[in-house]
Amino acid sequence: MARKILHVVHHNSSDRWLIKQAGTNYPLISTERKVDAVKMAAALAKSIQPSQVKIHGLKGKIQNEWTYKNDPPEYLS
């Protein structure tokens, strides 16, 4: 099973924080506060293991990341 990667990113035009799954163009969740988006992304990632959450700042740079469960074999080679 491939690892799902979730990104917490800021959407400038709506001034909201989005949770997006890598490889998709639409947000899974939209919130007003970054802290809420981070909590929701972590809970979602824990429910779909193996997974990873990448937290981005206002300028898009990754600030932090968490991995839940071991990486699948294809990431270990």
Side-chain angles (χ1 to χ4, degrees):
M1 173 191 261
R3 176 172 62 180
K4 304 287 186 196
I5 300 174
L6 303 175
H7 295 269
V8 174
V9 297
H10 186 257
H11 188 257
N12 291 328
S13 62
S14 67
D15 196 27
R16 294 183 64 86
W17 289 91
L18 309 176
I19 300 171
K20 296 178 83 176
Q21 184 173 330
T24 64
N25 294 323
Y26 56 89
L28 299 171
I29 299 171
S30 170
T31 67
E32 290 182 14
R33 300 182 335 147
K34 182 178 184 178
V35 67
D36 295 333
V38 170
K39 288 179 185 177
M40 288 183 223
L44 181 57
K46 288 176 186 177
S47 72
I48 59 170
Q49 295 180 28
S51 58
Q52 185 175 43
V53 176
K54 295 185 179 192
I55 311 300
H56 298 258
L58 287 172
K59 294 183 179 181
K61 183 178 177 183
I62 295 175
Q63 297 176 319
N64 207 342
E65 61 183 70
W66 300 287
T67 300
Y68 298 93
K69 197 170 180 183
N70 294 334
D71 284 332
E74 65 264 20
Y75 289 103
L76 299 177
S77 58

